Amino acid sequence: MLQLLHNAQIRTMNAACPRAEAAVIGEDGRFAFVGTREDAQLYLHGRPHKAMDAQGNSVVPGLNDSHLHFLHESMR
């Protein structure tokens, strides 16, 4: 099912449009649309979806904290 993420501070990493307020996330977990909430609603028109309110929090797509402390992790 598609998901609408709204009320967000999305950092797009695109110099031409560095910020957005809404995104549609596809069934594959990838961003299908990024832009204004109104445009996201148009994108979703007639399609079932779940809405998620980010409550004004920042979203940085693709950011993955994959570091670990080798010694600590190796002792588990």
Side-chain angles (χ1 to χ4, degrees):
M1 176 176 282
L2 297 172
Q3 298 179 43
L4 169 63
L5 176 65
H6 64 94
N7 191 19
Q9 298 293 320
I10 301 170
R11 308 299 186 242
T12 67
M13 306 306 172
N14 178 347
C17 181
R19 296 181 187 208
E21 63 183 359
V24 175
I25 303 165
E27 293 180 18
D28 60 359
R30 294 177 180 244
F31 280 60
F33 174 87
V34 177
T36 66
R37 180 174 179 153
E38 293 79 19
D39 288 342
Q41 295 277 356
L42 289 173
Y43 180 88
L44 288 166
H45 183 73
R47 297 191 222 175
H49 64 278
K50 291 182 183 179
M52 297 180 291
D53 186 346
Q55 301 177 351
N57 288 305
S58 294
V59 176
V60 183
L63 181 64
N64 180 11
D65 183 5
S66 61
H67 89 279
L68 57 90
H69 298 270
F70 182 74
L71 183 59
H72 179 263
E73 292 300 318
S74 65
M75 297 171 83
R76 284 185 168 197

